């Protein structure tokens, strides 16, 4: 029996997808049988997860509406131990209402996570920004959650929301543990970035903030643009090493 790890945040653009993709790749590289599932209708996982060019784009949305079988949506990647379920055709549609409704009103996501948990060691779930119905549904069923927090001044204003989010999460599912808040896109020579780190470390309990912080690096953005996890494309990069360290910390907790 494996574990489900969700990556969630109230705020958008904080590095959720980057974290989900790179943690999944780092787990797979450790030889852990890993499945990465994208339930965000934006469907960003397809850009950075190391799928072959010209791969099919059917995914979770197409399984949800009954047009594809599970076998058709579980895609192999360049890493032998990593499989991916993309968001699917919903990512190309302007209207996500039907998708949201199906996620909310059916047990498909619940059943998929249960099955995935039984067959894999780790199931990493990338979620849409905010605490909407999709994210809540995922959180209702996972035992592990990571909240990325971008090292930029606005993060200071969103810290109280993060704390509320954590309370909300625990209220939805008592099995759930907040593994930690992950500081992302840290810039070493930027005083504003340091202020955020200092503030977070001072105001939040140490056991809910990871010691590992993810630096902002050119290689991370480049890897995403090149369609690969940075841990695969540039293993020596500082962000890669941080994600690998984070995977090491989490691997012990998950298995
Ligand atoms: N450590 C990093 N170094 C450099 N660029 C990064 C880093 N982490 C994320 N980025 C870039 O920041 C942007 C936002 O990251 P990402 O897509 O992972 O955020 P997100 O939280 O998933 O966004 P959304 O809320 O829209 O789903 C992307 O262009 C990504 O390449
Ligand atoms: Mg994303």
């Amino acid at each position: 029996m494996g574990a489900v790890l969700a990556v969630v945040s109230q705020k958008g653009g904080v590095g959720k997808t980057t974290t989900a993709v790179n943690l999944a790749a780092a787990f797979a590289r450790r030889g852990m049988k890993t499945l990465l599932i994208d339930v965000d209708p934006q469907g960003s996982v397809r850009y950075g997860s190391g799928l072959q060019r010209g791969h099919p784009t059917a995914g979770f949305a197409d399984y949800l509406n009954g047009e594809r079988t599970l076998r058709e949506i579980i895609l192999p990647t360049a890493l032998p131990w990593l499989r991916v379920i993309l968001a699917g055709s919903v990512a190309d549609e302007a209207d996500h209402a039907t998708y949201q409704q199906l996620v909310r009103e059916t047990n498909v996501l619940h059943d998929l996570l249960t099955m995935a948990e039984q067959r894999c060691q780790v199931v990493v779930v990338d979620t849409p920004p905010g605490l909407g119905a999709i994210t809540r549904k995922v959180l209702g069923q996972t035992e592990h959650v990571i909240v990325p927090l971008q090292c930029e001044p606005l993060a200071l204003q969103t810290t109280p929301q993060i704390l509320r989010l954590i309370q909300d999460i625990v209220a939805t599912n008592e099995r759930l543990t907040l593994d930690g808040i992950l500081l992302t896109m840290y810039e070493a020579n930027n005083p504003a970035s340091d202020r955020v780190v200092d503030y977070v470390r001072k105001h939040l309990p140490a056991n809910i903030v990871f010691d590992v912080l993810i630096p902002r690096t050119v290689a991370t953005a480049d890897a995403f643009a090149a369609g690969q996890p940075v841990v695969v494309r540039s293993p020596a990069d500082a962000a890669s090493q941080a994600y690998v360290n984070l995977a090491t910390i989490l691997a012990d907790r998950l298995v």
Side-chain angles (χ1 to χ4, degrees):
M1 183 87 172
V4 182
L5 170 70
V7 184
V8 312
S9 83
Q10 198 116 336
K11 200 167 172 301
V14 298
K16 285 183 297 300
T17 301
T18 306
T19 298
V21 162
N22 282 290
L23 274 182
F27 288 137
R29 287 209 136 176
R30 298 174 64 88
M32 296 168 82
K33 191 178 176 193
T34 306
L35 178 66
L36 170 62
I37 305 179
D38 188 359
V39 300
D40 178 0
Q42 296 180 95
S44 307
V45 165
R46 74 171 141 166
Y47 302 117
S49 55
L51 291 164
Q52 315 293 344
R53 271 185 205 289
H55 62 76
T57 51
F60 175 61
D62 310 282
Y63 176 64
L64 186 66
N65 67 20
E67 284 182 10
R68 297 292 171 128
T69 63
L70 198 54
R71 182 187 277 263
E72 288 173 308
I73 59 158
I74 300 180
L75 307 177
T77 68
L79 296 173
W81 294 105
L82 178 61
R83 299 267 186 283
V84 174
I85 297 181
L86 299 177
S89 56
V90 67
D92 300 319
E93 290 158 11
D95 184 10
H96 301 156
T98 310
Y99 171 81
Q100 310 247 11
Q101 189 187 2
L102 282 173
V103 174
R104 235 182 8 247
E105 294 174 6
T106 69
N107 284 328
V108 176
L109 179 57
H110 175 277
D111 295 347
L112 174 64
L113 291 177
T114 305
M115 193 158 33
E117 193 173 31
Q118 281 160 2
R119 295 191 190 169
C120 301
Q121 272 178 289
V122 198
V123 184
V124 180
V125 186
D126 187 25
T127 66
L131 246 196
I134 297 172
T135 302
R136 284 177 186 279
K137 195 109 183 184
V138 172
L139 290 175
Q141 232 208 311
T142 160
E143 288 170 18
H144 296 272
V145 64
I146 290 183
V147 181
L149 182 73
Q150 189 180 345
C151 295
E152 50 100 38
L154 203 60
L156 297 183
Q157 274 116 45
T158 60
T159 307
Q161 291 170 31
I162 303 259
L163 289 172
R164 260 202 307 278
L165 165 92
I166 293 159
Q167 283 168 354
D168 266 19
I169 291 170
V170 176
T172 43
N173 172 5
E174 60 183 21
R175 288 190 312 158
L176 190 114
T177 322
L178 172 75
D179 282 281
I181 291 173
L182 176 67
L183 292 159
T184 59
M185 295 189 240
Y186 171 70
E187 293 173 35
N189 296 317
N190 180 346
S193 210
D194 280 321
R195 275 201 299 277
V196 174
V197 176
D198 290 346
Y199 181 91
V200 166
R201 295 224 187 278
K202 201 163 149 193
H203 289 90
L204 298 181
N207 63 337
I208 63 160
V209 184
F210 287 109
D211 288 337
V212 173
L213 49 84
I214 310 296
R216 182 193 285 278
T217 68
V218 173
T220 307
D222 282 354
F224 204 70
Q228 276 188 312
V230 70
V231 297
V232 171
R233 190 166 194 258
S234 310
D237 176 68
S240 291
Q241 291 182 352
Y243 276 122
V244 168
N245 291 342
L246 182 64
T248 305
I249 293 167
L250 289 168
D252 286 342
R253 301 188 196 170
L254 295 175
V255 184

